[in-house]
């Protein structure tokens, strides 16, 4: 398979967006984070628009991209090697970070590695299913209507789930897998969509018209969410947010994939370096971000300035620290 640089670079952007998302949490009233600013004047009540928009799509897009590469890895490696490598690359970070956070907090905690834990679970289920199901051999184009159907099934299901488990309610599945039920259907369906995207060549065969319109529709949903206030529009979106965010997630995700495919699918030395560090940066950014936040706590700045300063510094340090620890023998086999 030819190197898909655009998916590498999209993962880099998403990783940085995760750092920015977590950097914004201390400045959003009511948000839970391990660090809280000592200066109330730095709080930014409007930042929830940014957080809400991110949460609507970015982890789902992570799962879609991850799912895209799973069938190829399984076909090339076979069951035993595939499972062994996933347990090493995904399982080891989960065990290490969970052990560290549990010791620090005094209770079972996987932190931001819930994504890696969930991805490991999805990969193991895929390997199990492949023992009984032959791979699909077909080719078709993903259409806007197909995206709409995917989004509506995801959204209606998510809306029903939220009637019993609202957003930001986290539970332990089987006692050790941390999930947020309100979003988990999205993650499962986006991962499966990634698998199907590989089998059906959706990303490669997606027409420019389809990708451009998907991006336009996705951006419209993003803008609609950012413009929410206290009026009738906010009440409407809030009531049906499970459906709204699914439409945003599907159209914006495929739109971004098309955008990067068309304009960022070429080798770039700096972005290639970033892509090599992205997974490790995701793993270590929590600790680096908390260090930077606490180190700058006495620095009084306008909230927006401090948020950007901390997010940028933490992003740079996360990628640099990953680059350093990957020089340790054996670490590159994991991250």
């Amino acid at each position: 398979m030819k190197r898909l640089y655009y998916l590498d670079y999209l993962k880099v952007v998403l990783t940085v967006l995760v750092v920015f998302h977590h950097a914004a949490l201390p400045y959003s009233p009511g948000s839970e984070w391990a660090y809280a600013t000592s200066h109330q004047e730095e709080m930014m009540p409007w930042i929830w628009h940014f957080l809400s928009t991110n949460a609507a799509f970015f982890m789902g897009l992570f799962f879609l991209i991850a799912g895209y590469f799973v069938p190829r890895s399984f076909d090339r490696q076979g069951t035993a090697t595939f499972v062994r490598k996933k347990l090493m690359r995904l399982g080891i970070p989960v065990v290490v970070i969970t052990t560290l956070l549990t010791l620090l907090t005094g209770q079972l905690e996987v932190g931001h590695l819930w994504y890696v834990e969930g991805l490991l679970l999805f990969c193991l289920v895929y390997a199990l299913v492949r023992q009984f199901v032959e791979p699909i051999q077909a080719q078709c184009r993903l259409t806007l209507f197909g995206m709409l159907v995917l989004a509506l099934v995801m959204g209606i299901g998510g809306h029903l789930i939220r009637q019993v488990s609202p957003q930001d309610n986290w539970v332990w599945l089987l006692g050790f897998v941390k999930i947020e039920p309100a979003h988990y259907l999205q993650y499962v369906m986006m991962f499966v969509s990634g698998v199907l995207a590989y089998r059906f060549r959706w990303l490669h065969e997606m027409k420019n018209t389809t990708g451009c319109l998907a991006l336009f529709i996705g951006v419209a949903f993003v803008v609609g969410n950012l413009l929410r206030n206290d009026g009738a529009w906010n009440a409407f979106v809030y009531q049906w947010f499970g459906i709204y965010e699914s439409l945003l997630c599907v159209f914006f995700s495929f739109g971004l994939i098309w955008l990067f495919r068309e304009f960022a699918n070429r080798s770039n030395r700096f972005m290639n370096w970033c892509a090599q560090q992205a997974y490790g940066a995701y793993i270590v950014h929590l600790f680096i971000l908390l260090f930077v936040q606490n180190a700058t706590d006495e620095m009084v700045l306008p909230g927006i300035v401090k948020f950007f300063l901390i997010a940028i510094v933490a992003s740079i340090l996360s990628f640099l620290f990953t680059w350093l620890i990957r020089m340790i023998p054996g670490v590159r086999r994991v991250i």
Side-chain angles (χ1 to χ4, degrees):
M1 175 185 276
K2 185 178 179 181
R3 186 79 186 181
L4 301 180
Y5 292 107
Y6 70 97
L7 293 182
D8 285 341
Y9 302 161
L10 184 52
K11 285 191 292 184
V12 171
V13 172
L14 290 174
T15 301
V16 173
L17 189 57
V18 168
V19 180
F20 272 69
H21 184 90
H22 289 155
L25 288 174
Y27 308 103
S28 176
S31 296
E32 294 185 4
W33 186 243
Y35 160 81
T37 178
S38 301
H39 311 284
Q40 288 302 306
E41 62 270 25
E42 294 178 345
M43 299 298 286
M44 298 180 288
W46 53 267
I47 200 69
W48 71 267
H49 292 89
F50 171 72
L51 297 171
S52 174
T53 301
N54 289 343
F57 84 94
F58 70 162
M59 299 311 298
L61 182 50
F62 259 131
F63 277 111
L64 188 153
I65 295 172
Y68 184 84
F69 291 105
V70 164
R72 175 174 175 262
S73 296
F74 186 91
D75 293 347
R76 187 179 72 251
Q77 298 169 354
T79 304
T81 302
F82 175 83
V83 171
R84 177 176 58 81
K85 287 191 173 183
K86 293 303 179 186
L87 288 173
M88 178 177 66
R89 187 162 171 80
L90 302 176
I92 291 177
V94 169
V95 171
V96 171
I97 298 300
T98 300
T99 300
L100 182 58
L101 291 178
T102 300
L103 291 174
L104 291 173
T105 63
Q107 59 183 5
L108 181 62
E109 183 55 68
V110 69
H112 61 301
L113 267 288
W114 65 265
Y115 162 70
V116 180
E117 186 181 46
L119 182 56
L120 175 59
L121 176 62
F122 294 171
C123 289
L124 295 179
V125 171
Y126 177 86
L128 177 63
V129 171
R130 281 293 306 275
Q131 305 309 301
F132 307 98
V133 179
E134 290 297 318
I136 300 171
Q137 299 295 340
Q139 183 172 333
C140 70
R141 286 192 176 98
L142 179 64
T143 64
L144 291 174
F145 179 74
M147 295 182 200
L148 178 62
V149 171
L150 172 64
L152 288 178
V153 172
M154 181 190 302
I156 293 171
H159 177 76
L160 294 175
I161 292 172
R162 288 164 194 246
Q163 306 309 303
V164 294
S165 181
Q167 190 169 324
D168 295 325
N169 176 45
W170 291 83
V171 300
W172 289 98
L173 178 66
L174 304 176
F176 60 91
V177 180
K178 192 173 184 179
I179 70 170
E180 182 196 13
H183 276 119
Y184 219 65
L185 178 62
Q186 178 194 112
Y187 302 150
V188 171
M189 292 188 66
M190 291 295 277
F191 177 83
V192 173
S193 296
V195 173
L196 296 178
Y198 175 81
R199 291 299 182 194
F200 293 143
R201 294 174 58 84
W202 281 350
L203 306 188
H204 179 74
E205 299 293 337
M206 182 166 45
K207 293 182 176 180
N208 286 338
T209 303
T210 302
C212 186
L213 286 174
L215 181 62
F216 177 80
I217 296 171
V219 169
F221 277 106
V222 168
V223 172
N225 194 51
L226 294 175
L227 292 179
R228 289 166 61 190
N229 206 330
D230 294 325
W233 173 244
N234 178 60
F236 174 79
V237 174
Y238 180 81
Q239 182 179 0
W240 303 102
F241 194 66
I243 298 175
Y244 186 96
E245 76 164 3
S246 294
L247 291 164
L248 186 159
C249 175
V250 172
F251 284 103
F252 194 49
S253 293
F254 280 106
L256 284 175
I257 288 174
W258 169 81
L259 182 68
F260 275 69
R261 187 194 74 182
E262 293 302 308
F263 300 101
N265 195 25
R266 58 186 62 86
S267 180
N268 176 282
R269 181 177 297 180
F270 172 71
M271 290 301 292
N272 288 340
W273 180 87
C274 291
Q276 293 171 3
Q277 325 307 326
Y279 178 49
Y282 177 89
I283 293 172
V284 305
H285 86 271
L286 170 67
F287 307 100
I288 292 176
L289 180 57
L290 288 174
F291 169 77
V292 176
Q293 287 172 331
N294 282 280
T296 58
D297 185 63
E298 295 302 319
M299 185 187 301
V300 182
L301 294 170
I304 187 67
V305 174
K306 196 168 184 180
F307 156 59
F308 269 101
L309 175 64
I310 290 173
I312 292 171
V313 171
S315 297
I316 294 172
L317 291 179
S318 296
F319 279 81
L320 287 175
F321 183 74
T322 300
W323 174 65
L324 290 174
I325 62 175
R326 290 181 79 240
M327 294 182 181
I328 301 173
V331 172
R332 291 195 179 196
R333 296 181 63 188
V334 178
I335 63 173

